[in-house]
Amino acid sequence: RSITKSFTVTVILQLVRDQVLRLDDRLDQFIPGIPNGDRITLADLAGMQSGIADYSAQPAFQEAFAANPERTFTEAELVAYAIPASPVFAPGAEYQYSNTNTVLLGMVIENVTGQSLGSVLQSRIFTPLGLSGTSYPLTVPLPLPHPTPYAVAVDTGEAEELPLVSPTGLAGAGAMVSTLADLETWGRALGDGRLIGWSRTHSSGEAEDFTRDGARVTQRDAAGRPVAARTVRYLREQKNPKEPPRLVA
């Protein structure tokens, strides 16, 4: 489910690295009609600070979902459920976990690549990492292997098998299916930075780092000497312990 979000945001960061996007791009550059869309940045969406309400918490969506768990939703339909309750706060002013944020990021990815989110995830992450048990399905039944959902009665402890739900009701926020083995591979790749390449060392030994807006800079120490990539995070944390961390490998 929600681990899909880390994949969606990773693709956004890859597109920033590739200079297709910038983290300070405004949402309305890609998707019109969102409250505060001219102020909400891609970084706000990725950081859950956009102020856009969570579509999955809206009664209208919950009623539609419960009436037919296998119903196919479009991403635009999911976002539309959130519009009447938005904005919850000004962009960047607060933090609120909202599935709408990563659904919108998935739509941005589709907008700039001209491909479906599933195709982009396959070519950029699943295939390079050899994640053969991972997919981004659009229909039920889900591809095997997949977990079986259960509900447990509090009073009796009895487990009841639940019906599968359409992954389209989750989209870029939670539609993926995977295995523990694949997710272990994913976790290692995410942790060592190989997919994003956010901080890279040149043959000269200089470390290239990407700032929030996607610009490239060379990391140097207090004396102006180039700093090896692996030391960048440590030096930043020591110098500015209260500074919000930036995305570096």
Side-chain angles (χ1 to χ4, degrees), residues 16-19 200 208-211 213-218:
V16 171
R17 175 200 64 197
D18 298 342
Q19 301 186 59
R200 299 178 297 182
E208 183 180 63
D209 183 31
F210 289 80
T211 62
D213 66 0
R216 293 182 176 87
V217 296
T218 297

Side-chain angles (χ1 to χ4, degrees), residues 111-137:
N111 180 294
V112 299
T113 64
Q115 302 176 58
S116 69
L117 179 57
S119 295
V120 176
L121 289 170
Q122 185 69 54
S123 63
R124 284 181 170 266
I125 300 179
F126 302 166
T127 297
L129 293 183
L131 306 183
S132 59
T134 303
S135 61
Y136 186 88

Side-chain angles (χ1 to χ4, degrees), residues 55-68:
Y55 76 87
S56 63
Q58 305 310 309
F61 170 77
Q62 293 174 351
E63 291 171 8
F65 196 75
N68 180 9

Side-chain angles (χ1 to χ4, degrees), residues 192 197-202 204-209 217-220 225-236 248-249:
D192 65 27
W198 205 261
S199 185
R200 299 178 297 182
T201 302
H202 297 290
S204 64
E206 295 185 2
E208 183 180 63
D209 183 31
V217 296
T218 297
Q219 296 290 333
R220 298 178 182 273
R225 296 167 298 195
V227 179
R230 293 184 182 276
T231 69
V232 168
R233 179 189 297 277
Y234 174 78
L235 290 177
R236 180 182 294 118
V248 294

Side-chain angles (χ1 to χ4, degrees), residues 12-101:
I12 290 289
L13 296 179
Q14 289 180 335
L15 292 170
V16 171
R17 175 200 64 197
D18 298 342
Q19 301 186 59
V20 176
L21 294 171
R22 294 165 63 97
L23 288 178
D24 61 358
D25 282 342
R26 298 310 195 258
L27 178 58
D28 68 354
Q29 295 175 230
F30 313 99
I31 303 169
I34 307 298
N36 285 337
D38 61 336
R39 298 170 57 198
I40 296 168
T41 66
L42 300 185
D44 290 329
L45 292 169
M48 299 290 175
Q49 294 183 301
S50 70
I52 303 172
D54 186 353
Y55 76 87
S56 63
Q58 305 310 309
F61 170 77
Q62 293 174 351
E63 291 171 8
F65 196 75
N68 180 9
E70 296 187 10
R71 169 180 167 175
T72 297
F73 292 89
T74 66
E75 293 159 316
E77 286 175 329
L78 299 180
V79 172
Y81 285 112
I83 299 303
S86 301
V88 180
F89 50 81
E94 300 179 34
Y95 170 91
Q96 182 185 69
Y97 191 92
S98 171
N99 288 311
T100 314
N101 289 318

